[in-house]
Amino acid sequence: MTCLLEHLGQEIEKLADAAEVCSASPSVDRPFERFQPFPVDALPEPLATFVRVASKAIGCDPTFLVLPILVVAAAMIGTSCVLELKRGWRVPSVLWAGIVGESGTMKTPAMKLALQPVKKRQAEALRRYHEAMQQYQSEKAAYEKDMAAWKRSRRNGELPPVEPKSPTAERCLVSDITIEAMAIKLLENPRGVLLAMDELAGWFGSFDRYTNGNKGSDAAHWLSAYNAESITVDRKTGEPKMIFVPTAAISVVGGIQPGILNRALGLEHRENGMLARLLLACPPQRSEQWTEAEIDAEVESQYGNVINRLASLEPAYDENGEPVSMVLQLSPEAKRLWTQFYNANAAELANLTGDLAAAWSKLEEIAARLALVSHRIKTVQAAPPQKPWLPDAPVSPSANIIDGDTMRDAIRLTEWFKAEIRRVYAMLGESDDVRDQRRLVEWIDRHGGAATASKVQSGCRWLRNSGMAEIALNGLAKAGLGSWSHVPSGPQGGRPSHVFRLSERRINETSPFSLEKAGLT
């Protein structure tokens, strides 16, 4: 037995000596995700022009404007229409988006500008409501006086006075985060509403509050609102005791810092799909610089006109005169593109797990939602809102048909969101060391892809201590993210320099699916 054990030990040692030594670095195996410039040209006009002009004037990345603009447009369309992909699958005009960025990255100014037409519209609606309330109060006082006189007269056969009806406030923009308050507003505004918040952390926190002893019930209602489904809210106080909203459509947009996003959306809300429903963008931080660029008044006016026209789109009406969502269809070309995209996305999804798998399962429908929004923007640009239920209303044959170009652009936008969501999810799981590496790579990338240690030390505040910049750059070189090169003196003389250059393999490309591979160009 002893001899046998010695023989086995010798054989194991031989195998160990013959095996290749593996010392893979986690940093090398996990390159950084690349931030892709947003395809602004895939947006319909005048949104594309507005984004280009406004981002230059603010000095922010275009995505800080794109996300709130798309959500605003979706919310203004609301329940006026749906897109039918096939019988039983209808897609609503609802989008959720989060602008991810550190404090001082111009998130708030960009969102304020995108929301300006909605805020103006809401202010005008509330002004009309206050005027109507004053009129109602006068009529109410007259009614009570007439009612008292009617009761005293005791005249048989005389009908009592008609009580005036209290006006309701038109709401398109809200800030309430409780589903009970939201349900009341949705009853009075069946078209749907827009929830816009500077900080989404408060909204995330509301998911876990106790509602009538049932923790987390708000989250389930919000998930229903994403699909414009019905919600039922039971109340302990107030009237009515039960609120039933047949179609609850709520679009959501706001800003949040990366660290807060990671803490606010814990395991529960990753598993229930809350995170997966959020379109996210987190462009690399850029240095704030003064610019004389301004937003042309005509460009701003055109954007505002489109938003107002979307909000004025009329629904269809059923045989009882009740409003119902107009049903949009795909053209044969759009259906072909959608089918190819759907199948390619499903093939990607089969190889994903966890958060990415959840996101991809929702992104398959995002392309359809974006196509719906883009189509309606084009519709209101082509002609003022129509009333198609009237027999003599002149409706364009293509008004309710989404064409191939619109679907192609919607798929391009969705592919960008795929790459960005993959990148943001990776950022949420970063350690402090990896985060600092990524920030350094992004800083060098913004400065032409090369930099000396002294430039890095002066430009990166977290590397200001003596020697830290060179240590960090050596770390990037060791991780295979770049290399040092010697730059000799030029024709005019000067000292030679030691320059660090990022390698081309430092960052991943976008997701495996591309328009070219699928034949969607």
Side-chain angles (χ1 to χ4, degrees), residues 450-488:
T452 62
S454 60
K455 285 186 178 180
V456 169
Q457 183 173 340
S458 62
C460 301
R461 61 180 182 275
W462 67 96
L463 298 174
R464 292 289 170 83
N465 292 337
S466 178
M468 290 298 295
E470 189 163 356
I471 292 173
L473 291 172
N474 285 334
L476 294 185
K478 186 177 180 181
L481 299 170
S483 59
W484 290 99
S485 62
H486 181 74
V487 179

Side-chain angles (χ1 to χ4, degrees), residues 296-359:
D296 183 78
E298 180 62 24
V299 171
E300 192 171 1
S301 175
Q302 288 176 356
Y303 167 63
N305 288 339
V306 165
I307 298 304
N308 284 324
R309 284 187 172 188
L310 292 176
S312 301
L313 281 168
E314 295 280 1
Y317 285 83
D318 62 18
E319 61 276 8
N320 298 317
E322 294 295 323
V324 293
S325 298
M326 183 185 301
V327 180
L328 308 183
Q329 305 286 344
L330 296 178
S331 71
E333 175 67 4
K335 189 62 176 286
R336 181 185 69 83
L337 295 170
W338 158 258
T339 302
Q340 289 182 334
F341 166 78
Y342 180 90
N343 292 338
N345 187 78
E348 292 177 32
L349 177 58
N351 296 316
L352 298 175
T353 59
D355 292 342
L356 283 177

Side-chain angles (χ1 to χ4, degrees), residues 22-38:
C22 180
S23 58
S25 166
S27 297
V28 174
D29 291 342
R30 190 217 60 258
F32 296 103
E33 300 289 341
R34 180 177 208 150
F35 176 76
Q36 304 290 336
F38 189 86

Side-chain angles (χ1 to χ4, degrees), residues 431-447:
S431 65
D432 291 342
D433 291 341
V434 173
R435 182 200 63 213
D436 288 343
Q437 270 196 338
R438 174 182 54 78
R439 291 169 65 195
L440 179 54
V441 168
E442 290 175 349
W443 187 91
I444 299 173
D445 211 14
R446 291 198 305 271
H447 291 79

Side-chain angles (χ1 to χ4, degrees), residues 180 184 212 233-243:
E180 181 176 320
I184 295 172
N212 295 333
V233 180
D234 294 312
R235 310 167 75 190
K236 282 189 174 180
T237 60
E239 292 294 337
K241 292 297 184 183
M242 182 190 74
I243 304 174

Side-chain angles (χ1 to χ4, degrees), residues 371-389:
L372 185 159
V373 172
S374 294
H375 170 77
R376 297 316 273 169
I377 292 171
K378 293 178 180 180
T379 300
V380 298
Q381 280 291 92
Q386 303 288 350
K387 298 183 179 181
W389 62 92

